[in-house]
Amino acid sequence: MVTIGVYGFDGESFLQRLRHADVRLLLDVRQRRGVRGPEYAWANSLRLQAALAHARIAYDHRRELAPTTELRHVQYAEDDRQGVGKRSRRELAAEYTRRYTTEILDLADLAPIVSALPGSGTAALLCVERDAEACHRSLIAQRLTERHGIVIEHLCPS
């Protein structure tokens, strides 16, 4: 399994990266499936799903794994305290990590995700942040590794 963010890619380089990793299923773990800024319009839900379908990559929205608005505001407050923007964040706040784990991840049943993994190729967890360590997808990936032995690679733009 791989993880990937939106930031740092354009639509074509994003699809190329997925193809290169032999991704057959994309699991979108965003709460809101839109991204601000015209340079990321390709990552808005309907456009992304159309591009993935054209590339023969299945799409599944796993909203139950998305952080709540309240949790995102916990992270934003820490970003403000540190003076970093969402697009330049390098790590998650300890309080955000603790709360995401107890409020979302501990309650999630990951077995259906594991069962749905493609028999050939791989699956990708998608959110927006460039660096997995700055995104909740790294917490999901860590849990999949710990509980299900799934090897994870984090994809970044070139």
Side-chain angles (χ1 to χ4, degrees):
M1 179 173 264
V2 300
T3 78
I4 192 165
V6 169
Y7 295 150
F9 287 103
D10 60 30
E12 185 54 37
S13 64
F14 180 83
L15 290 173
Q16 285 176 347
R17 193 72 175 102
L18 293 179
R19 283 188 209 105
H20 186 267
D22 199 21
V23 170
R24 308 284 176 90
L25 170 64
L26 186 124
L27 301 165
D28 190 339
V29 295
R30 300 177 290 174
Q31 179 191 35
R32 296 184 181 135
R33 295 180 290 163
V35 183
R36 290 186 180 159
E39 71 270 33
Y40 295 113
W42 61 267
N44 293 330
S45 179
L46 295 178
R47 289 180 181 144
L48 177 61
Q49 288 181 64
L52 291 169
H54 188 267
R56 297 181 187 219
I57 298 171
Y59 174 89
D60 187 12
H61 183 218
R62 302 307 301 227
R63 190 166 197 248
E64 73 277 12
L65 294 173
T68 62
T69 300
E70 180 188 354
L71 273 176
R72 287 197 332 270
H73 285 285
V74 168
Q75 182 62 55
Y76 298 158
E78 180 63 15
D79 292 345
D80 289 345
R81 191 185 73 72
Q82 291 186 15
V84 298
K86 180 179 180 181
R87 294 184 189 192
S88 58
R89 179 188 316 136
R90 295 284 179 220
E91 63 185 6
L92 293 171
E95 179 66 5
Y96 174 91
T97 298
R98 183 191 69 75
R99 287 190 56 194
Y100 177 82
T101 300
T102 59
E103 295 173 23
I104 307 288
L105 200 51
D106 287 348
L107 304 177
D109 181 5
L110 298 179
I113 290 174
V114 174
S115 297
L117 294 177
S120 62
T122 193
L125 292 171
L126 166 75
C127 199
V128 295
E129 287 80 4
R130 175 189 169 101
D131 298 316
E133 300 78 20
C135 181
H136 73 288
R137 73 180 186 269
S138 67
L139 304 175
I140 301 166
Q142 180 180 355
R143 178 66 56 94
L144 287 166
T145 297
E146 291 169 355
R147 301 232 173 128
H148 300 279
I150 294 174
V151 176
I152 306 288
E153 178 185 356
H154 301 292
L155 305 180
C156 292
S158 300

